[in-house]
Amino acid sequence: MSATNVQRIMVAGAGAMGSQIAMVCALAGYEVYLQDISGEMLRKADGSLRGHMRRRVEKGRFTEEFVNAAFARLHYTEDLKQAVSEADVVIEAIVEKLDAKRELFSHLDQLAPSRAILATNSSTIVSSKLADATNRPDKVCNMHFFNPALVMELVEVVRNPATSDATVQTIVELARNLGKTPITLNQEISGFVANRILGALMDEAVSLYEKGIASFEDIDIACLKALNHPIGPFALMDLTGIDVNYYVRMQRMQETGDESLGPKKSIVEKFEKGELGRKTGKGWYSYPPQA
């Protein structure tokens, strides 16, 4: 199957990443099913996406007709079978837990058409850890979008040892059709390219904070004003979710057995308090309800 044959895309997980990936696909003209086990998550996703699109219309980036047509192509459902029964490509964007992803991929393999490619948006869990939960390892890969998916251009396409050339080519072409810039990784490595570089910066930022060298606010300012980053590392953790950082580092520690690769002390403390960033109203920074 080539990207020209892709007509219907299913996105599993209606969190910030999954919902925006689904919107990106709908805006590009694809019929999209966004599935989540929580009806409340789906309602929140719809509200958030309509807010994003309304602001784009107000700024003149999109016409109201264009946005309405995209929403007409975007379907919300809690029914996994309905969502995936005619999918050409599936993009998984659920919680960063290996057992949960393996269980989902097993169900997807049973319910999706044999032609369907099963991609994971994870940048931590490589697709070889999911491929053997299916009977189509040649059609399994990572398709990693960046947060926020409506804005960020890069998509990392990562093959596992069983991924076919046809699968990689289809996903690369699909990413281009979505208006993204894809890069291809020919070998699996946790964190891929961009997040390994970003992770090193975040580790140093948190270490400087935990050693009392500077406040997290001043470290963010240094990255903004000296390195010209668009957002500081602590503000970025709040945006993506401190729980994501926690789960990513736990996964890396479990994979390697190296405790130094686990989450930093201050990250663990915030995770245990439920201070996960913007989605909970407090992380490193505090956010009023309208944020």
Side-chain angles (χ1 to χ4, degrees):
M1 182 177 68
S2 70
T4 56
N5 303 121
V6 175
Q7 296 182 358
R8 180 173 294 191
I9 298 172
M10 180 265 191
V11 180
M17 283 302 297
S19 61
Q20 290 202 19
I21 291 169
M23 193 76 238
V24 166
C25 296
L27 289 168
Y30 293 96
E31 200 77 14
V32 184
Y33 278 76
L34 177 60
Q35 184 272 339
D36 198 286
I37 60 175
S38 167
E40 179 62 22
M41 285 295 293
L42 291 168
R43 287 187 288 274
K44 287 182 178 179
D46 182 62
S48 176
L49 292 175
R50 290 187 184 279
H52 282 298
M53 293 302 103
R54 183 174 62 252
R55 288 188 288 275
R56 281 163 171 72
V57 171
E58 290 170 352
K59 292 178 180 178
R61 296 177 183 174
F62 296 150
T63 65
E64 191 168 348
E65 293 75 17
F66 177 74
V67 167
N68 289 340
F71 274 114
R73 292 188 290 267
L74 178 56
H75 313 280
Y76 304 92
T77 182
E78 297 175 51
D79 188 333
L80 184 64
K81 183 176 181 180
Q82 177 195 23
V84 77
S85 61
E86 296 182 36
D88 299 305
V89 171
V90 176
I91 304 171
E92 170 272 314
I94 68 168
V95 64
E96 286 291 285
K97 294 183 178 180
L98 179 58
D99 289 346
K101 290 181 187 291
R102 284 182 60 83
E103 181 179 5
L104 176 60
F105 267 68
S106 177
H107 291 318
L108 291 171
D109 184 54
Q110 296 168 25
L111 297 171
S114 59
R115 68 179 182 276
I117 293 172
L118 308 181
T120 173
N121 181 59
S122 178
S123 65
T124 306
I125 298 173
V126 292
S127 67
S128 60
K129 293 184 179 294
L130 306 173
D132 65 350
T134 77
N135 292 308
R136 60 181 90 190
D138 60 312
K139 292 184 173 70
V140 177
C141 67
N142 289 78
M143 185 183 190
H144 177 228
F145 293 76
F146 288 81
N147 190 15
L150 281 166
V151 177
M152 301 297 284
E153 294 183 14
L154 186 68
V155 170
E156 293 173 316
V157 180
V158 189
R159 67 190 310 154
N160 68 65
T163 308
S164 69
D165 290 341
T167 294
V168 172
Q169 183 177 353
T170 297
I171 296 301
V172 166
E173 290 175 0
L174 173 61
R176 292 195 180 108
N177 291 345
L178 297 177
K180 302 301 183 182
T181 302
I183 65 170
T184 303
L185 279 69
N186 293 314
Q187 296 182 38
E188 293 183 322
I189 184 169
S190 180
F192 308 153
V193 173
N195 277 349
R196 287 183 73 87
I197 295 170
L198 179 61
L201 183 145
M202 281 190 171
D203 278 355
E204 184 61 21
V206 176
S207 291
L208 290 169
Y209 165 75
E210 291 186 349
K211 291 174 182 176
I213 304 298
S215 68
F216 67 84
E217 296 97 335
D218 281 352
I219 295 169
D220 271 0
I221 290 171
C223 291
L224 291 169
K225 300 303 182 181
L227 305 181
N228 205 28
H229 290 185
I231 188 171
F234 294 94
L236 180 58
M237 278 186 268
D238 277 0
L239 176 64
T240 58
I242 289 172
D243 54 330
V244 173
N245 182 291
Y246 176 86
Y247 287 131
V248 165
R249 300 312 298 261
M250 288 295 291
Q251 178 69 28
R252 195 167 295 175
M253 180 178 68
Q254 291 164 4
E255 285 178 356
T256 63
D258 186 348
E259 292 187 1
S260 70
L261 297 180
K264 299 284 190 182
K265 179 182 177 181
S266 56
I267 300 296
V268 174
E269 290 174 353
K270 289 196 172 293
F271 177 82
E272 291 178 346
K273 289 180 182 177
E275 297 176 356
L276 307 181
R278 287 177 178 263
K279 59 187 167 186
T280 60
K282 181 174 174 56
W284 293 103
Y285 298 88
S286 294
Y287 303 90
Q290 64 268 26

